[in-house]
């Protein structure tokens, strides 16, 4: 290898810990922030005046985090190198009036978030986690990481058509989990959470709660060359981006020169369009980058020069070739597990990659000694999209779409090669260092 790898299988072990500890976007950014603080980064409040000092800083807003490291000697027009990702995953989220039930079963009313594979949520032991807002305006994270809820599937004896016509689920009627017996009582779920959190009755006045599978991540296969776990789309990239930024900042602190300002931008709400104050289509990233320029004494001209030289890697999971459905993939593009990160291309701009962007990513992978693969959709299949085109269009920033190839995307439990997470992280280090 022409470049010393920072990460090996120990990175994948740590990813498993990160996934298990991050059942919601709020937990994910809190865990990322904790790792950044241990590396010397400090949180800055958006309501405070910012200074132009060097070092690592980060902003937290809801389920989003933007972190950056200003090296010694960085000018106001120094460009950025950005790793973009998202913190949210499709799931079942608790409604404003959660207490429901029928026929002697107590249930929790949920709404479908994003586009989950609904069948994967059936007959799973589910926990409950999220953010609580208290009467005094403060917030608190909560995670009930034990079997609490379950969406029971109808027995085949009561629906013989499932064997011939396939499973058909009504999102309103068939996805409401059970959590006990008896008649539903208004306020029961929130009272339970107050008790679990050590709060007084009536303290919780707002909540953002969601379900998660309590089955932990695990290595899979005869040789443990695969990794199964929840929320890889897209906490795998959030974790890799955090690790890469810490590695680059640590090296810079010991004398490595950086021609760019490395940035991690992990957004919420990608799975439903990114249009929020914490989504990629909101003002968060642009505001942070601009304020950093101005805090270093820059002008609008410096801001324009900085953005013109900035490059973003939009890192999100993509599709590995499926052995049972190979015909759904492009016949000449078959990304494989443990084959290295993927470069995602779509000429209709569902991904932001172009030829110049490909060259940037190829150079980073070459420097890191990491092979990469190309992904393009079958022409007969619709192509998904990412925060990449949004970032490019909103900020005028050169953006390249990349990621790790997985199976079972949007399932409650996804599957990837166990080596791919650290191969991605090594490529991100090389990219951030320029």
């Amino acid at each position: 290898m022409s470049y010393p790898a920072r990460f090996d299988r120990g990175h994948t072990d740590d990813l498993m810990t990160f996934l298990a500890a991050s059942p919601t976007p709020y937990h994910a950014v809190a865990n990322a922030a904790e790792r950044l603080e241990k590396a010397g980064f400090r949180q800055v409040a958006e309501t405070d005046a910012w200074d132009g000092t060097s070092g690592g800083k980060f902003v937290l807003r809801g389920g989003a985090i933007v972190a950056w490291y200003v090296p010694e000697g960085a000018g106001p027009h120094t460009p950025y190198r950005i790793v973009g990702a998202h913190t949210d995953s499709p799931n079942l989220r608790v409604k404003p009036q959660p207490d429901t039930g029928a026929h002697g079963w107590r249930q929790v009313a949920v709404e479908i978030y994003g586009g989950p594979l609904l069948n994967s949520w059936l007959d799973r032991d589910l926990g409950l986690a999220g953010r609580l807002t208290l009467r005094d305006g403060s917030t608190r994270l909560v995670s009930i990481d034990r079997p609490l809820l379950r969406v029971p599937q109808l027995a085949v004896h009561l629906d013989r058509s499932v064997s011939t016509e396939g499973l058909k689920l009504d999102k309103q009627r068939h996805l409401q989990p059970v959590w006990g017996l008896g008649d539903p009582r208004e306020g029961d779920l929130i009272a339970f959470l107050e008790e679990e959190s050590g709060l007084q009755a009536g303290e919780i006045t707002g909540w953002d709660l969601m379900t998660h599978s309590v089955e932990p991540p695990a290595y899979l296969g005869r040789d443990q060359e695969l990794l199964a776990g929840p929320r890889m789309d897209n906490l795998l990239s959030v974790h890799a981006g955090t690790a890469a930024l810490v590695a680059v900042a640590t090296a810079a602190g010991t004398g490595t020169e950086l021609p760019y300002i490395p940035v991690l931008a992990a957004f919420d709400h990608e799975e439903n369009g990114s249009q929020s104050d914490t989504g990629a289509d909101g003002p968060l990233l642009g505001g942070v980058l601009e304020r950093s320029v101005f805090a270093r004494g820059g002008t609008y001209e410096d801001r324009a020069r900085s953005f013109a030289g900035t490059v973003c890697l939009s890192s999100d999971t993509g599709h590995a070739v499926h052995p049972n459905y190979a015909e759904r993939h492009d016949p000449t593009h078959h990304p494989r597990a443990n084959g290295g990160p993927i470069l995602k291309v779509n000429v209709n701009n569902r991904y932001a990659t172009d030829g110049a962007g490909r060259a940037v990513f190829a150079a980073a992978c070459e420097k890191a000694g990491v092979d990469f693969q190309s992904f393009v959709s079958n022409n007969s299949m619709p192509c998904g999209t990412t925060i990449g085109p949004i970032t490019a269009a909103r900020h005028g920033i050169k953006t390249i779409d990349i990621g790790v190839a997985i199976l079972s995307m949007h399932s409650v439990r996804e599957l990837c090669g166990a080596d791919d997470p650290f191969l991605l992280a090594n490529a991100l280090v090389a990219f951030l260092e320029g």
Side-chain angles (χ1 to χ4, degrees):
M1 296 176 67
S2 60
Y3 176 76
R6 262 69 167 188
F7 306 112
D8 54 20
R9 187 60 76 90
H11 174 88
T12 306
D13 294 338
D14 189 62
L15 169 62
M16 295 166 71
T17 300
F18 186 81
L19 292 173
S22 305
T24 75
Y26 313 112
H27 290 83
V29 298
N31 289 323
E34 181 179 4
R35 290 161 186 252
L36 291 166
E37 286 180 330
K38 288 181 179 178
F41 285 68
R42 63 183 176 90
Q43 183 175 355
V44 293
E46 294 184 81
T47 53
D48 291 345
W50 291 4
D51 59 54
T53 57
S54 60
K57 305 169 187 179
F58 66 90
V59 165
L60 282 178
R61 185 193 289 183
I65 184 170
V66 179
W68 67 102
Y69 181 86
V70 181
E72 292 286 348
H77 59 268
T78 299
Y80 299 94
R81 279 281 173 111
I82 305 167
V83 172
H86 68 87
T87 60
D88 59 321
S89 301
N91 56 18
L92 310 178
R93 302 201 173 190
V94 176
K95 290 183 176 180
Q97 297 181 24
D99 301 294
T100 186
H103 307 290
W105 295 96
R106 292 162 65 197
Q107 296 174 275
V108 174
V110 296
E111 189 173 5
I112 311 301
Y113 177 82
L117 284 173
L118 297 178
N119 62 292
S120 70
W121 287 86
L122 302 178
D123 297 329
R124 295 271 186 179
D125 294 338
L126 303 176
L128 192 64
R131 179 180 63 177
L132 304 174
T133 302
L134 308 186
R135 188 171 296 279
D136 62 4
S138 64
T139 60
R140 180 178 298 193
L141 299 184
V142 62
S143 179
I144 313 298
D145 195 34
R146 64 177 188 270
L148 181 69
L149 304 136
R150 188 179 179 93
V151 182
Q153 189 168 190
L154 184 65
V156 67
H157 312 76
L158 303 178
D159 183 12
R160 299 289 183 179
S161 67
V162 72
S163 300
T164 55
E165 299 177 15
L167 180 65
K168 298 178 181 179
L169 296 172
D170 183 286
K171 293 181 180 180
Q172 178 62 37
R173 294 186 294 124
H174 299 153
L175 274 298
Q176 306 307 313
V178 300
W179 77 306
L181 299 174
D183 297 325
R185 297 185 295 270
E186 185 177 352
D188 207 14
L189 179 66
I190 301 307
F192 166 76
L193 292 172
E194 287 172 336
E195 182 178 352
E196 286 282 323
S197 304
L199 298 169
Q200 298 296 316
E203 276 197 76
I204 297 175
T205 56
W207 54 87
D208 301 279
L209 298 166
M210 55 203 77
T211 60
H212 66 278
S213 172
V214 299
E215 185 180 4
Y219 288 112
L220 185 144
R222 184 191 67 180
D223 299 318
Q224 295 193 328
E225 57 194 337
L226 299 171
L227 175 66
R231 299 176 294 281
M232 291 185 191
D233 177 16
N234 186 35
L235 294 189
L236 188 158
S237 294
V238 175
H239 175 261
T242 302
L245 180 59
V246 166
V248 170
T250 301
T254 59
T256 299
E257 293 187 7
L258 293 176
Y260 303 99
I261 296 173
V263 179
L264 168 69
F267 302 101
D268 201 354
H269 301 133
E270 189 272 349
E271 298 293 355
N272 61 8
S274 296
Q275 292 185 321
S276 71
D277 67 324
T278 53
D281 204 18
L284 178 58
L285 176 61
V288 167
L289 300 184
E290 288 179 346
R291 291 185 68 177
S292 179
V293 168
F294 299 148
R296 284 176 277 123
T299 63
Y300 183 82
E301 182 71 11
D302 292 311
R303 180 261 188 213
R305 293 174 64 189
S306 173
F307 278 40
T310 292
V311 183
C312 174
L313 286 186
S314 165
S315 182
D316 202 347
T317 54
H319 303 293
V321 60
H322 198 300
N324 299 336
Y325 301 91
E327 73 280 359
R328 300 297 183 98
H329 300 264
D330 183 86
T332 59
H333 294 78
H334 281 178
R336 298 176 181 270
N338 288 336
I342 56 174
L343 178 74
K344 300 156 78 171
V345 178
N346 179 264
V347 296
N348 293 303
N349 211 41
R350 301 292 286 172
Y351 303 130
T353 308
D354 62 9
R358 185 187 193 281
V360 171
F361 187 59
C365 289
E366 181 179 6
K367 181 181 178 182
V370 170
D371 292 331
F372 74 93
Q373 311 175 81
S374 294
F375 172 84
V376 64
S377 290
N378 186 306
N379 285 336
S380 299
M381 303 290 294
C383 181
T385 190
T386 68
I387 66 167
I390 294 172
T391 302
R394 183 171 182 83
H395 306 294
I397 289 173
K398 168 65 69 179
T399 304
I400 306 111
D401 273 295
I402 65 159
V404 162
I406 70 171
L407 293 182
S408 305
M409 187 183 294
H410 286 195
S411 171
V412 77
R413 196 167 179 83
E414 297 159 327
L415 184 71
C416 75
D419 295 342
D420 282 329
F422 68 78
L423 296 175
L424 172 66
N426 283 321
L428 295 184
V429 170
F431 167 74
L432 290 176
E433 286 189 336

